[in-house]
Amino acid sequence: AQSVTQLDSQVPVFEEAPVELRCNYSSSVSVYLFWYVQYPNQGLQLLLKYLSGSTLVKGINGFEAEFNKSQTSFHLRKPSVHISDTAEYFCAVKAYSGGYQKVTFGTGTKLQVIP
Amino acid sequence: DGGITQSPKYLFRKEGQNVTLSCEQNLNHDAMYWYRQDPGQGLRLIYYSQIVNDFQKGDIAEGYSVSREKKESFPLTVTSAQKNPTAFYLCASSYRGGRSNQPQHFGDGTRLSIL
């Protein structure tokens, strides 16, 4: 079985400050990792993905994440946040389970950017 | 542009009534999914379908039913047996097979409430 843990349910941060949203996962098989962003009353939009290769991946809107296999983590970072980054962020793990590629989502982290 | 269309955006259900949520995609994806989202709980899988005329239960299938008669369409029926249907419902689709490591694409969701 696979699982995803987002330890912080809410993260307040001042505008133009850096931010890190934490994601840890567990799986007995190789995984693919994703970060999604959700704005109120909308669906999820893909921010970035790790499939293989370089452990540092860059996504849209200036976000990046680093895959750390030994620590089973995939933390999301941005060096300087904007008001428009206020949203909920979901980490997701995709791994082969029960005959298909199952996706498991974390419980989400609400990022609130303070002016 | 390709994408996933969910309708309606808001839906109200009376006690004892079945309601159907629509999901249509033009991304040529084989796999489609329904998730339920409740505050603080992330996304929970209700049903998924990897090919036409085939679908499997997810983690919280009780009180829900689906059909997959066409590749483009995957409607979800919330039956009267679902005692707590108030939630935000998200439909997603993705490739399978050789491209199964790719991320899911999401619709904009349907918010279901009880009258």
Side-chain angles (χ1 to χ4, degrees), chain B residues 11-106:
Chain B
L11 187 58
F12 298 92
R13 194 191 90 169
K14 296 180 181 179
E15 294 287 342
Q17 185 181 45
N18 294 351
V19 292
T20 298
L21 285 60
S22 170
C23 178
E24 303 276 334
Q25 56 98 0
N26 61 1
L27 297 166
N28 200 32
H29 287 166
D30 289 300
M32 297 187 73
Y33 313 80
W34 273 106
Y35 292 93
R36 171 179 170 140
Q37 187 177 21
D38 296 282
Q41 296 194 45
L43 277 70
R44 294 183 289 168
L45 183 64
I46 304 172
Y47 269 97
Y48 65 96
S49 167
Q50 297 192 78
I51 56 173
V52 174
N53 292 323
D54 186 52
F55 48 83
Q56 285 78 39
K57 294 181 179 180
D59 301 319
I60 55 165
E62 185 175 351
Y64 300 97
S65 66
V66 293
S67 63
R68 187 86 187 278
E69 297 177 0
K70 298 187 300 181
K71 185 176 182 177
E72 301 79 15
S73 178
F74 191 40
L76 173 73
T77 296
V78 184
T79 74
S80 57
Q82 172 51 244
K83 297 307 179 188
N84 184 24
T86 297
F88 192 51
Y89 291 87
L90 287 164
C91 179
S93 68
S94 70
Y95 290 108
R96 60 186 294 268
R99 299 183 66 179
S100 61
N101 60 353
Q102 295 302 312
Q104 295 171 319
H105 293 248
F106 285 83

Side-chain angles (χ1 to χ4, degrees), chain A residues 8-73:
Chain A
D8 304 307
S9 59
Q10 295 189 51
V11 173
V13 62
F14 286 104
E15 192 175 14
E16 298 184 3
V19 69
E20 178 179 83
L21 305 184
R22 296 180 293 167
C23 173
N24 288 88
Y25 70 92
S26 68
S27 175
S28 58
V29 298
S30 296
V31 298
Y32 306 111
L33 297 157
F34 309 91
W35 273 100
Y36 290 88
V37 60
Q38 184 181 36
Y39 300 101
N41 290 314
Q42 292 186 25
L44 275 65
Q45 300 174 29
L46 182 70
L47 270 180
L48 48 78
K49 61 186 178 184
Y50 172 77
L51 303 182
S52 65
S54 174
T55 57
L56 181 65
V57 292
K58 295 187 183 296
I60 62 171
N61 301 340
F63 284 93
E64 63 181 33
E66 186 157 19
F67 171 54
N68 187 319
K69 188 174 182 179
S70 62
Q71 296 187 6
T72 61
S73 67

